[in-house]
Amino acid sequence: MADFVIEHKIMTPSFSGEFTPREYTDLSLRTPSSTTISSDILPLTESTVDTSTWYYTIKVSTDSPSSSSTTTSIPFCNILLPGSSVSSKVIKESIVITPNLVGEPLSATLRITNKKTMNKASSLCGVVESSKLKEKFVSNLQTTLEIDLGDKADSIPLKVHNNAPPGLQVLPRPKGDTTFKSMGTDPTKDKKPQQSQSFLGKYWWIILPLAVMTLTAPAEEPG
């Protein structure tokens, strides 16, 4: 599988910007790697900005020139360290990548895994002066990269039914056909054979005319 490449940018309601590479130390699967995001990425186009409307977006691709890519975003405030100044705390993030059949990224998910441990909100989240944001902003990230291959589908058991479904009839098979030998009982032979007919029921077409002739024959005159 090719090495994954992570690029990032910040999107605002009025600014999209271009992706730039994220610098990592040994970006590898399941091994945490460190990176620092500085003010160089900030879209400081006005004197005052509202960072609560910003989104931090990453793009995942491979080192292949023809690689496909996928993007994912989180609120910008999620990557701000607590307090109002540079902190030694680290924000832990997890990037889960789902590849396609050739190993290129099909989708990606970015999560901050220790955000709940940072009880104090950052003073840089919200309306803030651009000069202050440029001076104070720094984000130390510890990244874990994971690959999601999806869950293996359960196999569906194949069950052969010897009897026809309701409303359908099994046609008799041709003589010499051995189709049902490997499937168990021949469904065409499930019915019990009919019982032997009585003598009267079998030869009624002979007995009935004789009876009629006997009953309608004229009686003999006495001598």
Side-chain angles (χ1 to χ4, degrees), residues 81-154:
L81 294 169
S84 58
S85 61
V86 176
S87 173
S88 60
K89 290 185 177 181
V90 174
I91 295 178
K92 296 181 180 180
E93 67 171 0
S94 171
I95 301 177
V96 181
I97 301 172
T98 302
N100 58 20
L101 295 178
V102 296
E104 296 177 347
L106 184 63
S107 64
T109 304
L110 174 61
R111 297 193 304 266
I112 304 300
T113 59
N114 68 332
K115 189 65 178 177
K116 292 183 179 180
T117 63
M118 302 179 182
N119 297 324
K120 188 177 180 180
S122 172
S123 62
L124 301 179
C125 181
V127 179
V128 61
E129 295 181 0
S130 296
S131 57
K132 180 181 178 181
L133 182 61
K134 184 175 182 179
E135 176 187 358
K136 300 292 185 180
F137 172 75
V138 63
S139 186
N140 301 314
L141 300 179
Q142 187 179 82
T143 305
T144 301
L145 190 64
E146 299 182 18
I147 302 297
D148 180 15
L149 298 178
D151 297 330
K152 184 179 180 181
D154 296 332

Side-chain angles (χ1 to χ4, degrees), residues 2-66:
D3 294 331
F4 288 103
V5 177
I6 310 295
E7 298 176 276
H8 64 166
K9 69 177 180 179
I10 293 177
M11 299 179 62
T12 74
S14 58
F15 180 80
S16 177
E18 299 292 335
F19 283 103
T20 57
R22 270 179 64 163
E23 300 295 335
Y24 284 100
T25 56
D26 299 328
L27 180 62
S28 58
L29 295 178
R30 301 187 182 279
T31 301
S33 57
S34 300
T35 186
T36 300
I37 303 175
S38 63
S39 59
D40 296 340
I41 195 176
L42 300 177
L44 303 177
T45 57
E46 300 177 0
S47 60
T48 302
V49 293
D50 184 0
T51 59
S52 64
T53 63
W54 290 5
Y55 280 88
Y56 178 68
T57 303
I58 66 170
K59 180 174 73 171
V60 182
S61 59
T62 68
D63 53 5
S64 172
S66 60

